[in-house]
Amino acid sequence: MPGLDDWVNCPLDIVQNLFDADNAEWSKTVDGFFKNRLADYTAWHRIPSLNHEALHQLKPNSLVRFRCMVQDMFDPEFYLGVYEVTDRSNNTKFLKTGKFQDIAECSSQQEINLESPRNITWDRQTLYCVPVPAENDWVKQGFSENGQQVSSPRGLHESTSSSRVKRALETDETAEASTSLDPSSEHRHNGEVTMETGAGDAGDREKRSRTEGGGEVSGRRERPIDLNFPIPGEKGTACLVKVYDQVDIFKVTEMVEFVGVLSVDPSLAHFHDEEQESSVGDNLDAMEGIEEQNAHSPPPSLVPRLHVVASRKLAHSNPFIPRDITSIMGKSLVENILKEAGIIRDQLRWLLSQILLCDALTADYVILHLISSVYARRDVVALGKFSLNLSGVPSDPEFIALLYTLLTQLVTKSHMLPMSLSNMNKLKLTPKKDYTANRLTSGLLQLTDRTHLVLDETALEPGQLDATGVMNLTALGNLISWQKVDYDFNYHKTEFHTNICVLVLSDGKSLLPTDCRVHLQPKRDQTSMAEIQASVQQALRSGTIDLDKIRSFLAVLPLLEYTMSEDVQKFVEQDFVEARKSDPNNMTPEDFQNLLIITRLLSLSLGQPSLTRQIWERAKRMEAERKSRLKSATPASAASAAMSR
């Protein structure tokens, strides 16, 4: 029997040892045990990560970590929380718990008493989670390097010497009432007895043999599994995360890191063959049940199960800074960043200016955009957002590619969407409820907070938007204006708040509403993008630019609080009144609100968590120069004008 020190490799044995049916507080004892073990930073990161290790290299029923986004929430799941086991060798009976398990296990000399009045059914919440969408490569590499992984565990399919009796713990209320332990439902393979139950008679239960990987049924081909990633083409492992406590604290699109018991038993998969499908004919209800089972019970070799013992929400995804900036290490980091903010900002400004053809003003506004974040909501208004339209962008594809490549090196999460006619008419941007499969099919706008979305409007070409294109364009407009995405539930739409930084690249004024528009004004002669890229890379290699500090700078500043003293507030209000007296059109209420946002972001970028008069005047000069440019900017491009709703 394992000792308490084997908590990573054998957590279920520890749970069974601490289980006490007569003590109502036993579950809290288990939670406290794992909480104490995981309180140590190094202990947390010694646990193998599902993000960075192949599934077949992880030991079943051991603890693993998973950094992910909550993509969907399934209905509550019922399982045998407490069940009675009979030892036939001495005719004794005892209780075991099914918590943190999908399969109830006992030795070959024991059997589970399904009809025992001592059995108790509990429920748990199942979350469908996917790897964090749009996460850039340097972030993944950083988390992989930081994780102090344990030595390679035994493979998933290592054989065991003892025979086991298993029964799926997952039940529902209807199935539980009609379940019977019929001998005809037992089938043996590889010295193991598996007892499966369903909502029908034993004769209707499908009998099948499985490969060890759980991905194949003998004589049948497995259908491809849709992992439901928001961004098409992304790779990684999706996971069914099962939560036992505080089930209401998680929300869709939240970024969370879970630690839990890995469950990959092949019997968890739902297998459906073509003969069964043909036999149901036009029975719509049966087909809907099949679709739902396929979606909710995918092969664990592709979508493993994770029974959560601990979790923590993530405010950012930079692997090189403390998770909590209010901790001792976090406060020290913030203090250092604020002290060096001027130097770091100058380095970032130089980097952006190089890519933006020596346009320092545009670089200033891009910096403000990169550190913007929604910090509060007032009615329907999202405070703190700062979407940016960069117009006058060269038609050279290399310029856009180089600009976006630099952004991927600076921010933790980003995605570029070319707004071509084909993309707008074909892509699925907003999530939609699939009632047949009873799941939420993802859309490209289902992203975690502080994801940077770059919209390339220069990809527009003359043409007509169809109904899907119009809905997609509307969805982008709502995202930018209100920081919300309307999820489609067929009969109604539900608003989900977002916090996504949107940068629109266009020739003329964008079709989309943005908080600020800056017209690019190159200050250098035409230079090849290859030469610009070479100069940037040389600066990074030489150490002139500290990329790590810039990344920390961009990750920390959006999380800081910002204040305005009463004296400065009075000065700002008086300045607004005086500006309105001289020329009301020169300072509209909208201009004033934008100026307040700009001064807030400018203060933070300069390492000043509170506004000063000097920063206020500097922001006014920036705005005056920006507006002056717009007056002489060229009109919207013909391609933009040609694309109609």
Side-chain angles (χ1 to χ4, degrees):
M1 180 176 295
L4 292 183
D5 290 336
D6 298 321
W7 61 279
V8 175
N9 291 322
C10 305
L12 293 181
D13 292 319
I14 292 174
V15 172
Q16 293 295 345
N17 290 339
L18 296 177
F19 169 65
D20 183 359
D22 296 326
N23 181 7
E25 302 296 320
W26 77 269
S27 185
K28 293 183 179 179
T29 302
V30 173
D31 295 339
F33 173 85
F34 288 110
K35 182 179 180 180
N36 291 337
R37 293 300 186 277
L38 292 168
D40 181 17
Y41 173 85
T42 58
W44 184 286
H45 287 275
R46 281 180 54 246
I47 297 175
S49 172
L50 196 58
N51 299 91
H52 308 298
E53 290 198 26
L55 185 58
H56 69 272
Q57 295 179 333
L58 298 173
K59 180 183 177 182
N61 296 328
S62 66
L63 290 185
V64 298
R65 286 183 294 135
F66 186 44
R67 190 181 69 260
C68 59
M69 180 192 79
V70 179
Q71 190 275 322
D72 195 7
M73 296 182 174
F74 293 162
D75 295 332
E77 171 184 283
F78 295 91
Y79 70 102
L80 287 176
V82 178
Y83 57 93
E84 186 180 74
V85 177
T86 299
D87 190 333
R88 293 193 297 267
S89 63
N90 53 21
N91 201 29
T92 60
K93 296 181 179 180
F94 58 93
L95 296 178
K96 296 183 70 175
T97 179
K99 193 172 184 179
F100 305 123
Q101 300 177 70
D102 289 297
I103 302 296
E105 297 185 2
C106 55
S107 69
S108 59
Q109 298 299 317
Q110 300 171 345
E111 64 179 10
I112 301 172
N113 302 325
L114 295 176
E115 305 302 327
S116 172
R118 302 170 69 187
N119 293 349
I120 303 176
T121 300
W122 293 340
D123 66 326
R124 56 195 175 197
Q125 179 68 53
T126 301
L127 310 177
Y128 187 83
C129 299
V130 298
V132 179
E135 203 170 56
N136 288 318
D137 290 340
W138 67 268
V139 176
K140 297 177 182 178
Q141 182 179 355
F143 277 116
S144 180
E145 293 174 353
N146 285 349
Q148 301 175 9
Q149 303 295 351
V150 295
S151 58
S152 181
R154 293 180 297 176
L156 281 180
H157 314 306
E158 183 177 14
S159 61
T160 56
S161 57
S162 61
S163 298
R164 296 175 297 174
V165 179
K166 300 182 179 181
R167 174 182 177 80
L169 290 170
E170 299 176 10
T171 63
D172 55 38
E173 293 175 317
T174 304
E176 185 179 1
S178 60
T179 294
S180 63
L181 187 58
D182 191 295
S184 64
S185 68
E186 298 185 7
H187 54 279
R188 297 176 178 269
H189 58 92
N190 297 331
E192 199 172 87
V193 180
T194 302
M195 291 173 285
E196 298 179 347
T197 61
D201 293 334
D204 294 331
R205 296 167 191 150
E206 184 181 354
K207 300 179 181 181
R208 52 195 178 261
S209 62
R210 305 177 179 85
T211 63
E212 289 183 335
E216 230 178 83
V217 183
S218 69
R220 304 170 192 158
R221 291 179 300 174
E222 180 187 327
R223 294 186 175 184
I225 301 297
D226 178 12
L227 296 181
N228 216 13
F229 290 171
I231 298 177
E234 284 202 323
K235 298 180 180 180
T237 301
C239 194
L240 286 174
V241 176
K242 303 192 178 186
V243 182
Y244 292 82
D245 301 303
Q246 296 181 314
V247 297
D248 296 329
I249 68 172
F250 300 108
K251 298 178 181 178
V252 170
T253 73
E254 278 190 326
M255 189 166 56
V256 189
E257 186 170 38
F258 294 102
V259 169
V261 180
L262 178 66
S263 177
V264 289
D265 195 290
S267 63
L268 299 175
H270 168 72
F271 293 91
H272 169 243
D273 60 15
E274 296 178 358
E275 293 179 1
Q276 182 180 359
E277 182 176 348
S278 62
S279 67
V280 297
D282 295 329
N283 191 331
L284 182 59
D285 292 338
M287 289 302 298
E288 289 180 349
I290 291 169
E291 291 293 334
E292 181 173 349
Q293 290 178 57
N294 287 335
H296 288 237
S297 302
S301 57
L302 294 177
V303 183
R305 281 60 164 168
L306 189 69
H307 296 264
V308 176
V309 300
S311 65
R312 57 188 189 186
K313 296 184 179 182
L314 304 177
H316 66 82
S317 55
N318 187 320
F320 302 111
I321 65 177
R323 179 183 62 88
D324 183 8
I325 64 170
T326 63
S327 63
I328 296 177
M329 293 178 60
K331 290 179 179 178
S332 176
L333 173 69
V334 171
E335 183 179 351
N336 291 333
I337 287 178
L338 292 180
K339 286 181 179 179
E340 302 181 52
I343 298 174
I344 299 174
R345 187 185 186 280
D346 287 343
Q347 293 183 5
L348 176 58
R349 188 172 187 253
W350 182 88
L351 269 180
L352 292 169
S353 297
Q354 294 303 301
I355 304 298
L356 296 170
L357 308 176
C358 291
D359 187 349
L361 178 67
T362 301
D364 284 332
Y365 276 92
V366 172
I367 292 174
L368 303 185
H369 164 74
L370 292 178
I371 65 172
S372 63
S373 179
V374 176
Y375 62 87
R377 292 182 182 269
R378 185 176 300 161
D379 296 328
V380 297
V381 179
L383 303 179
K385 71 184 183 71
F386 190 65
S387 57
L388 182 63
N389 173 208
L390 181 55
S391 62
V393 172
S395 57
D396 184 1
E398 291 186 9
F399 173 84
I400 295 176
L402 187 56
L403 175 60
Y404 180 70
T405 299
L406 176 61
L407 293 180
T408 63
Q409 294 297 311
L410 300 177
V411 300
T412 56
K413 297 169 292 184
S414 65
H415 179 69
M416 183 166 70
L417 172 62
M419 291 179 60
S420 64
L421 196 64
S422 175
N423 281 343
M424 296 302 295
N425 287 338
K426 294 180 180 179
L427 285 180
K428 181 175 60 177
L429 298 189
T430 57
K432 183 176 181 178
K433 180 72 173 183
D434 181 352
Y435 286 96
T436 302
N438 192 21
R439 72 168 184 173
L440 184 66
T441 57
S442 190
L444 192 142
L445 297 184
Q446 192 177 19
L447 303 170
T448 60
D449 287 353
R450 298 282 305 143
T451 299
H452 292 261
L453 180 62
V454 180
L455 302 177
D456 179 13
E457 203 171 288
T458 65
L460 289 172
E461 66 269 5
Q464 187 75 25
L465 289 175
D466 59 17
T468 300
V470 172
M471 288 191 296
N472 284 337
L473 195 65
T474 301
L476 290 174
N478 288 337
L479 170 68
I480 295 171
S481 299
W482 312 110
Q483 281 296 316
K484 69 170 186 176
V485 175
D486 293 329
Y487 287 28
D488 186 359
F489 287 85
N490 290 350
Y491 306 106
H492 68 279
K493 292 186 177 181
T494 301
E495 294 182 2
F496 281 76
H497 290 164
T498 62
N499 183 10
I500 299 174
C501 304
V502 182
L503 174 65
V504 184
L505 307 178
S506 62
D507 178 14
K509 184 179 180 181
S510 173
L511 291 171
L512 298 166
T514 54
D515 298 310
C516 182
R517 175 190 169 201
V518 182
H519 195 77
L520 183 65
Q521 195 172 83
K523 296 294 193 301
R524 74 192 318 169
D525 295 333
Q526 185 65 32
T527 304
S528 71
M529 300 310 298
E531 294 180 9
I532 295 175
Q533 184 177 15
S535 66
V536 169
Q537 293 301 322
Q538 175 60 29
L540 293 175
R541 286 194 300 267
S542 65
T544 305
I545 304 297
D546 193 329
L547 191 57
D548 289 338
K549 286 187 177 180
I550 292 177
R551 289 168 174 171
S552 299
F553 174 88
L554 294 176
V556 167
L557 292 185
L559 304 176
L560 300 183
E561 294 185 0
Y562 167 82
T563 60
M564 185 185 299
S565 66
E566 292 185 5
D567 292 340
V568 173
Q569 186 174 353
K570 291 179 180 179
F571 167 77
V572 167
E573 292 174 353
Q574 184 63 34
D575 194 39
F576 172 67
V577 172
E578 294 298 328
R580 293 280 293 173
K581 286 181 180 179
S582 59
D583 185 2
N585 294 326
N586 192 41
M587 180 64 74
T588 65
E590 291 77 15
D591 291 334
F592 181 66
Q593 290 298 325
N594 287 337
L595 191 56
L596 289 176
I597 296 174
I598 291 170
T599 53
R600 177 181 182 275
L601 297 172
L602 182 60
S603 295
L604 291 174
S605 72
L606 294 170
Q608 299 288 337
S610 59
L611 180 62
T612 64
R613 293 194 179 193
Q614 292 78 10
I615 295 176
W616 174 259
E617 294 297 334
R618 180 172 175 175
K620 287 172 61 179
R621 291 193 297 270
M622 287 174 55
E623 277 291 86
E625 184 178 352
R626 181 185 69 85
K627 291 179 180 179
S628 176
R629 284 191 186 184
L630 293 180
K631 291 180 181 179
S632 57
T634 57
S637 66
S640 300
M643 188 176 186
S644 62
R645 299 191 184 190

